[in-house]
Amino acid sequence: MTPLLKLNHVSRFYRTVIGVGDLNLELPNGAYGLVGPNGSGKTTLINLLTGVLAPSIGSVEIMGADPVAQRDVLRRIGLCPASDILYPNISALQWVEHLTILQGFSQRDAYQRAVDSLVRLGMEANMRRPIGSYSLGMRQRTKLAQATAHDPELLILDEPFNGLDPIGRHELTEFLNEWSRRGRSLILASHILHEVEAITAAFLLIHGGRILASGDASEVRSMLSGFPVEVCLRGSGLRRVAAEIANEDWLQGIDVEHEPQQLRIRVSDQAAFQQRLAQLVQLPEVNLTSLESPDGSLEAAFDLLLRVHRGEHLV
Amino acid sequence: MLSATWQVVRFELQRTFTAGRIAMWLTLCLFPALLVATIQIQGRGNVPDAAMIVVSFALVPQISCMLGLLLWATPAIGSEIEAQSWVYLALRPHGRLAVALGKYLVAVIWTASYGLPSAVAVSLLSGLANPLHLTGALIVLVLLSCSCYAALYLLIGALISKRATVIAVIYSLILEGLIAWVPATVNQFTVSYRLWSLLVRWTDFAQLVNANQGAGLTFNSEPSWFNVLALIAYAGLVLALALYVVGRREYPVLSEA
């Protein structure tokens, strides 16, 4: 089966700056979160996937086609970019209709699709007003309407939650979940992890123009199991705990802090540490009030991946 | 591709109906006629016919048309990049070419829409004994001027997306405003030279100034069809080049926030 996208040693340079570097990836159809901090290369990757940019090195295939040379594949993609709409005098209906006609639809079809798409996104009451009078949330819905009016197989969204109020975020989450349930593919770029987690469990972590990890949360957790993590203990008897574990093989570092009183431990083997900790808490002078460690959430995994990427904790 | 281009034309024409653009249209339409009327009033009807032909040529197919096209054709791509809308258009299969070609046509239509009535008004106010020759000549020259300069400015805008209008103005002043009137072979590569040659042929200008072979270096004695064909070929070639550039070039799009 043709993969959704295939990146073969893709690099993109902006003169001497690396936008993305040596990306190798093959993904089947599905919903993916593209997660990374601002400036990590998400938009560059999206521009490569949509043929707006060509790779400096390597090749990009999306649904089996090169998006730069075989531009017909663009009919199968809907893009909701991060950039705002700056056509103040045009209504959402006119704009979405215009872009749908440019996808190859007749004027009548395009009009109907534009109306349907805007109504589906809750813009029925406002779609004939000029875009200049819209709130940020309305403009986001309008952008999403132009991306979905031609019923694409793959929807790519770049920071779609920006500027949305909580209700708007919830509605967009529902819309994207429904999109995925219909078997359509989705790539959602965001720097806000919980927004991605609400829509898909599969994600690509990108930072510094490189994909740090891909897969679902459990795959990334197992990938990280060999990497050191930091655990913070609070309570009394922490000096005794420190003394007891000082010679353990899995201990990579230890800091005793007094304000507040806590023990920061860097361990290379979480399972061994947890076993030892279970013994230590039975000591009479040890009374732990809290233990903080990566909880397996996407945010924690991402934080750890970034540290690994930067070379921290790798002694 | 053609339906997409037609859609761009419709959409862009729809966008022209703003107070600012209508005011600009009226200004560009009326100022040549007002200037010619002023000259006639100041000259008390004794302005030489040859001078009026030169003024009419300079005002309508040259200055007025160039100004309109500088406003429309030069920023055709740059304005979309500035408005961050290029990415939406570039993602359509024929979006890039449809936008460039559609905006070229809109630039020609919009400019010709005021250039043609302006040409009629100027020739009627010129005080020539038989203004119909000048009217006919100016109408054809306006259409040729719009086609050629729109393609030229579109190309400049496609090559230089930032400050394209400044570059286009400098180009126009030097090449079309100066070099075109230098009696040397180089002026044959300018649009102004061909347009002026056609006007000289289609009016009584040469007889009025007793132009000899030497004066003919600022215009040629080729048959009209040759100059018309040269201008059409120029427009076609430059437009094709502009479309090629727009189709291939990577324009700056939104970078990471």
Side-chain angles (χ1 to χ4, degrees):
Chain A
M1 191 176 169
T2 311
L4 177 67
L5 65 91
K6 191 174 172 185
L7 305 177
N8 185 24
H9 293 288
V10 171
S11 295
R12 169 67 200 198
F13 309 118
Y14 300 102
R15 296 189 182 168
T16 55
V17 178
I18 299 174
V20 293
D22 199 30
L23 302 183
N24 269 304
L25 192 66
E26 186 172 322
L27 295 176
N29 290 336
Y32 302 92
L34 180 60
V35 183
N38 290 334
S40 58
K42 299 190 296 292
T43 302
T44 299
L45 180 54
I46 287 174
N47 285 333
L48 288 165
L49 294 178
T50 53
V52 174
L53 297 176
S56 309
I57 299 173
S59 63
V60 175
E61 272 184 34
I62 191 136
M63 292 182 279
D66 175 347
V68 175
Q70 296 160 284
R71 301 190 70 78
D72 274 349
V73 76
L74 299 179
R75 291 187 210 283
R76 299 163 66 191
I77 303 172
L79 173 67
C80 181
S83 54
D84 203 359
I85 319 163
L86 300 175
Y87 282 143
N89 302 320
I90 296 292
S91 72
L93 181 56
Q94 286 172 312
W95 189 62
V96 176
E97 182 194 5
H98 171 59
L99 292 174
T100 310
I101 292 173
L102 294 187
Q103 285 285 10
F105 291 93
S106 68
Q107 197 182 342
R108 184 179 294 180
D109 275 359
Y111 176 82
Q112 197 52 52
R113 281 173 176 272
V115 169
D116 292 347
S117 188
L118 285 161
V119 168
R120 196 165 52 230
L121 285 154
M123 287 291 292
E124 189 171 8
N126 299 298
M127 65 186 180
R128 289 184 168 80
R129 269 172 44 199
I131 291 173
S133 66
Y134 286 179
S135 66
L136 192 52
M138 287 178 189
R139 294 205 295 274
Q140 288 286 58
R141 287 161 201 252
T142 305
K143 280 162 55 179
L144 195 54
Q146 65 78 32
T148 53
H150 60 291
D151 209 15
E153 292 163 50
L154 166 64
L155 179 60
I156 301 176
L157 303 105
D158 194 357
E159 303 286 1
F161 294 97
N162 278 0
L164 290 183
D165 57 22
I167 295 170
R169 282 165 191 260
H170 173 72
E171 286 173 355
L172 180 57
T173 303
E174 289 295 302
F175 178 86
L176 296 178
N177 278 325
E178 175 60 26
W179 181 271
S180 298
R181 276 197 292 273
R182 283 166 53 206
R184 300 297 171 101
S185 293
L186 176 71
I187 295 176
L188 168 63
S190 175
H191 66 283
I192 301 172
L193 299 172
H194 67 84
E195 289 172 350
V196 178
E197 280 186 304
I199 293 160
T200 176
F203 51 85
L204 310 168
L205 299 181
I206 186 168
H207 180 65
R210 289 177 182 274
I211 304 256
L212 302 182
S214 66
D216 61 27
S218 64
E219 283 173 321
V220 173
R221 272 200 299 277
S222 78
M223 194 187 308
L224 292 170
S225 60
F227 291 112
V229 293
E230 187 172 273
V231 179
C232 181
L233 302 176
R234 291 200 187 94
S236 59
L238 295 176
R239 284 183 180 278
R240 175 70 192 273
V241 172
E244 289 286 336
I245 63 172
N247 294 321
E248 297 287 357
D249 291 342
W250 41 258
L251 184 71
Q252 295 207 328
I254 191 161
D255 294 317
V256 181
E257 295 170 10
H258 298 287
E259 285 297 328
Q261 196 167 49
Q262 59 184 19
L263 194 61
R264 287 190 176 277
I265 309 165
R266 284 186 295 283
V267 300
S268 61
D269 184 341
Q270 277 198 76
F273 164 71
Q274 282 160 7
Q275 267 186 345
R276 188 76 179 97
L277 190 64
Q279 297 163 354
L280 293 173
V281 292
Q282 292 173 26
L283 296 172
E285 65 267 50
V286 175
N287 182 21
L288 296 185
T289 55
S290 78
L291 181 152
E292 286 176 16
S293 70
D295 57 3
S297 72
L298 188 53
E299 188 140 17
F302 188 52
D303 184 52
L304 187 52
L305 278 164
L306 283 179
R307 291 182 186 191
V308 171
H309 183 70
R310 288 195 290 256
E312 293 176 18
H313 287 253
L314 296 172
V315 183
Chain B
M1 168 68 187
L2 286 177
S3 62
T5 304
W6 173 237
Q7 168 58 23
V8 172
V9 171
R10 280 181 58 233
F11 184 74
E12 292 298 327
L13 283 176
Q14 218 169 20
R15 291 177 66 200
T16 64
F17 291 102
T18 61
R21 291 183 181 192
I22 291 169
M24 184 61 70
W25 189 95
L26 285 170
T27 306
L28 290 170
C29 182
L30 294 176
F31 95 83
L34 291 173
L35 212 60
V36 167
T38 308
I39 291 168
Q40 287 293 4
I41 291 165
Q42 291 292 316
R44 297 171 199 274
N46 295 324
V47 183
D49 286 354
M52 288 315 299
I53 290 172
V54 171
V55 167
S56 304
F57 174 76
L59 285 176
V60 186
Q62 294 275 275
I63 295 171
S64 177
C65 286
M66 280 177 160
L67 284 174
L69 295 165
L70 280 168
L71 290 172
W72 276 96
T74 320
I77 305 300
S79 62
E80 299 294 348
I81 293 166
E82 209 170 298
Q84 300 180 5
S85 47
W86 179 249
V87 69
Y88 295 97
L89 302 166
L91 201 74
R92 271 60 194 172
H94 303 294
R96 289 161 176 257
L97 296 184
V99 167
L101 190 56
K103 287 196 167 196
Y104 167 81
L105 292 172
V106 170
V108 172
I109 292 168
W110 194 82
T111 308
S113 73
Y114 70 73
L116 295 176
S118 186
V120 173
V122 162
S123 52
L124 292 178
L125 292 167
S126 65
L128 297 183
N130 185 1
L132 289 181
H133 278 138
L134 183 62
T135 308
L138 286 181
I139 284 172
V140 177
L141 294 188
V142 163
L143 295 173
L144 289 169
S145 167
C146 288
S147 309
C148 292
Y149 288 126
L152 174 66
Y153 294 152
L154 182 70
L155 176 62
I156 292 173
L159 290 170
I160 307 153
S161 48
K162 280 184 183 170
R163 299 199 178 122
T165 306
V166 176
I167 304 294
V169 168
I170 293 169
Y171 178 95
S172 302
L173 288 173
I174 295 174
L175 265 291
E176 298 294 334
L178 202 67
I179 305 284
W181 307 103
V182 173
T185 310
V186 68
N187 68 1
Q188 293 179 26
F189 298 101
T190 63
V191 175
S192 297
Y193 172 79
R194 301 276 167 197
L195 292 175
W196 178 238
S197 298
L198 285 170
L199 188 73
V200 169
R201 178 164 278 273
W202 289 338
T203 61
D204 301 329
F205 181 80
Q207 289 85 351
L208 289 168
V209 298
N210 295 320
N212 54 26
Q213 287 300 314
L217 281 173
T218 56
F219 55 88
N220 64 33
S221 52
E222 305 283 358
S224 298
W225 66 264
F226 181 84
N227 281 319
V228 170
L229 210 62
L231 287 167
I232 290 171
Y234 176 95
L237 198 69
V238 176
L239 178 61
L241 197 56
L243 294 178
Y244 177 81
V245 172
V246 172
R248 307 281 292 196
R249 190 161 170 213
E250 283 180 0
Y251 289 103
V253 287
L254 182 77
S255 56
E256 301 269 356

